[in-house]
Amino acid sequence: MKKQTTSRRSFITNSAKATLAVTAGMAASGSMMKAWGAPEYLDGSKFSTGFQQEPLPYSYNALDKSIDAMTMEIHYSKHAAAYATNLQDAAKAEGVDTGRPVEDVLAKISKYSAKMRNNGGGHYNHELFWKSMSSNSSEKPSGKLSAAIESSFNSFDAFKTQFGDAGKNRFGSGWAWLFIDGDKKLRIGSTPNQDNPLMDISDIKGFPVLGLDVWEHAYYLRYQNKRPDYITNWWKVVNWNYIQSRYEGAI
Ligand SMILES: [Fe+2]
């Protein structure tokens, strides 16, 4: 089994329930792993997300070459924190076990309230977003992800253009995604609001590898209405090491 993420470790560590211990043991089997954190056809379980906000993995000013410190602080400590709080409220009201990964709820989000959909997606998307950036990033991926991007989109530059267009062309608020579909192929798409490809109601379905927040709250202080400039600069801080591990862990 490959290395576990912090969220997965903390999920197991924090679990005092015997039932969860049993479940964690069962997770060693492939079939159970595929039931966690990703559609059945993908093994994305090692990246499962809890209901609590994790600490930001860098300082607010760490990504300043792309995103200013005040935007990061408001985004993390206000917007994203509110999604987590509201998600926990919805989970309590709707009888959801918050000891489970939030992906379990997202996969069946059509059965829950709009509050669960908006805040469950909001929480998951932002937890992924923070990990997807780094102050010490490489310019491009390598290894299996690099090869898959080149075979799927012809070149890394063509991929960046297509992904950027998905973000630029998303009307209103939403996200651009690089995701793995049911045939384990890389795909690009976008979702409105806080939806994501894990949701059963989504037009695009699969395991999210990379997500870009194109809500105005993600960029407005520095870029105002210039979303394309934000997207162009965002590539400078993409944490390709993490994105590669997500891809390789899910295929
Ligand atoms: Fe956001």
Side-chain angles (χ1 to χ4, degrees):
M1 180 185 278
K2 294 179 181 177
K3 190 173 75 175
Q4 303 290 307
T5 61
T6 301
S7 60
R8 175 67 188 282
R9 281 198 305 272
S10 60
F11 165 67
I12 294 171
T13 302
N14 295 335
S15 172
K17 297 179 182 177
T19 51
L20 290 181
V22 170
T23 305
M26 292 171 66
S29 73
S31 61
M32 179 55 82
M33 287 188 76
K34 289 178 183 176
W36 274 12
E40 283 287 337
Y41 48 81
L42 296 172
D43 178 8
S45 59
K46 59 179 63 64
F47 302 105
S48 61
T49 299
F51 284 67
Q52 300 281 344
Q53 203 178 21
E54 290 191 24
L56 195 67
Y58 34 73
S59 61
Y60 289 133
N61 64 2
L63 309 179
D64 187 63
K65 58 186 171 186
S66 299
I67 304 172
D68 61 279
M70 183 175 287
T71 294
M72 287 299 300
E73 181 170 1
I74 295 170
H75 200 175
Y76 176 82
S77 69
K78 305 296 183 187
H79 293 282
Y83 293 128
T85 299
N86 291 332
L87 170 62
Q88 289 159 39
D89 289 347
K92 188 174 182 180
E94 297 174 49
V96 169
D97 179 0
T98 56
R100 299 287 299 170
V102 73
E103 288 92 330
D104 287 359
V105 173
L106 301 181
K108 301 172 183 172
I109 201 66
S110 61
K111 301 182 185 307
Y112 296 96
S113 67
K115 182 175 181 177
M116 191 83 82
R117 174 177 173 175
N118 292 333
N119 293 286
H123 174 63
Y124 175 90
N125 295 349
H126 286 85
E127 289 293 289
L128 169 56
F129 189 54
W130 311 133
K131 294 185 181 75
S132 299
M133 299 185 287
S134 169
S135 61
N136 186 27
S137 55
S138 56
E139 284 189 14
K140 54 172 62 177
S142 58
K144 291 180 182 176
L145 178 58
S146 177
I149 285 176
E150 289 182 6
S151 76
S152 299
F153 308 108
N154 294 322
S155 69
F156 182 64
D157 286 341
F159 153 72
K160 285 172 66 177
T161 298
Q162 190 174 332
F163 185 96
D165 286 347
K168 293 172 194 172
N169 296 331
R170 166 51 56 190
F171 183 76
S173 299
W175 291 73
W177 299 102
L178 175 68
F179 64 100
I180 305 171
D181 71 7
D183 296 321
K184 298 195 175 185
K185 301 290 187 187
L186 281 176
R187 300 275 302 275
I188 289 171
S190 75
T191 53
N193 305 314
Q194 294 294 356
D195 289 353
N196 67 46
L198 289 173
M199 293 179 171
D200 60 355
I201 47 77
S202 178
D203 290 337
I204 57 171
K205 290 187 178 67
F207 178 71
V209 176
L210 175 66
L212 170 60
D213 188 344
V214 295
W215 283 58
E216 285 188 344
H217 69 220
Y219 62 86
Y220 200 83
L221 293 182
R222 176 175 285 179
Y223 298 97
Q224 291 84 48
N225 61 320
K226 304 183 198 73
R227 184 189 290 182
D229 290 355
Y230 156 66
I231 294 173
T232 298
N233 274 338
W234 176 72
W235 293 112
K236 298 174 184 173
V237 294
V238 173
N239 183 353
W240 286 113
N241 286 339
Y242 178 66
I243 303 308
Q244 285 169 211
S245 73
R246 286 184 70 83
Y247 176 72
E248 293 181 11
I251 58 172

